Amino acid sequence: QLQLVESGGGLVQPGGSLRLSCTASGIIFGISAGNWYRQAPGKQRELVAAMSGDGTTRYADSVKGRFTISGDNAKNTVYLQMNSLKPEDTAVYYCNAQLRTSKSQLSNYWGQGTQVTVSS
């Protein structure tokens, strides 16, 4: 079964750092684009970082300068490096990616979510 597997979440103190990873499990021919969303308690899911196939990145204003999205094609993985974490960053983080399953086909997948808690 083709899926996105997330890891790297956990508990961290304010000002700390975490790196989330999102790895495609199964046979693919690359990740065309990747995104990270988060959903805080009682709030709607929001886009926090996006990376296009050409490597162009975009960030929500609330995380710009602190978060970095990147990808490793050889590992079929998208990362989210989170620095200077704040309590308001606490949320479940979800990866989303377009996976190339053949030369002519792209399919959209979501990760299962990973909890990030920023607290002293």
Side-chain angles (χ1 to χ4, degrees):
Q1 290 184 347
L2 185 59
Q3 61 181 0
L4 296 178
V5 180
E6 298 184 33
S7 63
L11 175 65
V12 65
Q13 294 185 345
S17 298
L18 286 173
R19 188 176 75 162
L20 307 183
S21 64
C22 174
T23 300
S25 178
I27 299 175
I28 64 170
F29 299 93
I31 299 176
S32 180
N35 307 289
W36 286 95
Y37 290 78
R38 69 184 181 189
Q39 189 166 20
K43 297 183 179 180
Q44 291 284 347
R45 187 175 299 183
E46 64 173 345
L47 178 66
V48 297
M51 181 176 64
S52 301
D54 64 357
T56 302
T57 58
R58 296 184 294 113
Y59 301 92
D61 289 341
S62 60
V63 308
K64 194 171 185 178
R66 300 187 297 119
F67 290 12
T68 303
I69 186 171
S70 63
D72 187 334
N73 183 255
K75 296 182 178 180
N76 288 329
T77 299
V78 178
Y79 301 97
L80 184 67
Q81 178 67 46
M82 305 184 293
N83 299 325
S84 301
L85 283 162
K86 305 174 181 179
E88 51 262 45
D89 294 320
T90 295
V92 177
Y93 284 72
Y94 299 89
C95 68
N96 166 254
Q98 285 192 349
L99 306 181
R100 185 171 294 281
T101 55
S102 73
K103 185 178 180 180
S104 59
Q105 286 190 261
L106 292 172
S107 299
N108 190 64
Y109 286 84
W110 286 86
Q112 82 281 8
T114 185
Q115 176 71 48
V116 172
T117 302
V118 185
S119 176
S120 59

